[in-house]
Amino acid sequence: MNISLFLEVEAGADLDAILHALDSIQAEYSDGTDGLHGYLPASNTSFGFGIVDTPEALVAEGLEVEWQVGLLGSFHFRASGFESAWKEICRFTKRYAATCGYRFVLSFQFESVYAAMLGKDLVFPGPAAP
């Protein structure tokens, strides 16, 4: 069974802070015309990021926000590798939060919020961050 986590970022964000965070955790990736794709080496978690053509409402359940989503990312990994994947995704999320300057939500399949930057503080209401 595979697990998917989705990162929804406020409109106006670009891929620069994503690239910076990925570089800081030594992720492998390629940046093509269809977006940014790659994997996190320790857990072999695959990911993809792209700019949303027309900003849209946040899809993650349980939150109502006034901002629109302009950048969408996803992480995919085997359920059996959750601990390793979550550790790497948390490292990425913390690095991203430190440099992005935009609000964002990381959710499990758009259902449960695992991390969020809705103001100045990054919070992890889902599984505890390592």
Side-chain angles (χ1 to χ4, degrees):
M1 179 175 148
N2 287 329
I3 291 179
S4 297
L5 300 182
F6 294 93
L7 180 69
E8 297 175 273
V9 184
E10 184 178 11
D14 59 27
L15 293 174
D16 290 345
I18 296 283
L19 291 167
H20 178 72
L22 291 172
D23 287 341
S24 74
I25 63 168
Q26 298 160 349
E28 300 286 333
Y29 61 84
S30 62
D31 189 4
T33 57
D34 62 340
L36 182 66
H37 300 278
Y39 69 96
L40 305 177
S43 63
N44 203 30
T45 296
S46 64
F47 61 78
F49 296 96
I51 301 297
V52 176
D53 291 333
T54 303
E56 55 194 38
L58 182 78
V59 177
E61 295 177 6
L63 292 174
E64 290 189 30
V65 298
E66 72 280 357
W67 48 271
Q68 297 278 300
V69 173
L71 188 154
L72 183 62
S74 61
F75 298 92
H76 308 280
F77 53 92
R78 292 184 161 280
S80 61
F82 179 83
E83 280 189 41
S84 178
W86 181 235
K87 183 176 179 179
E88 280 194 298
I89 293 167
C90 284
R91 284 181 59 220
F92 164 82
T93 303
K94 289 173 184 177
R95 302 280 172 94
Y96 182 64
T99 61
C100 78
Y102 290 89
R103 294 171 285 192
F104 65 83
V105 173
L106 176 69
S107 65
F108 167 71
Q109 299 179 176
F110 298 113
E111 296 172 2
S112 302
V113 175
Y114 276 25
M117 181 84 158
L118 300 175
K120 294 183 183 209
D121 297 323
L122 175 62
V123 295
F124 289 89

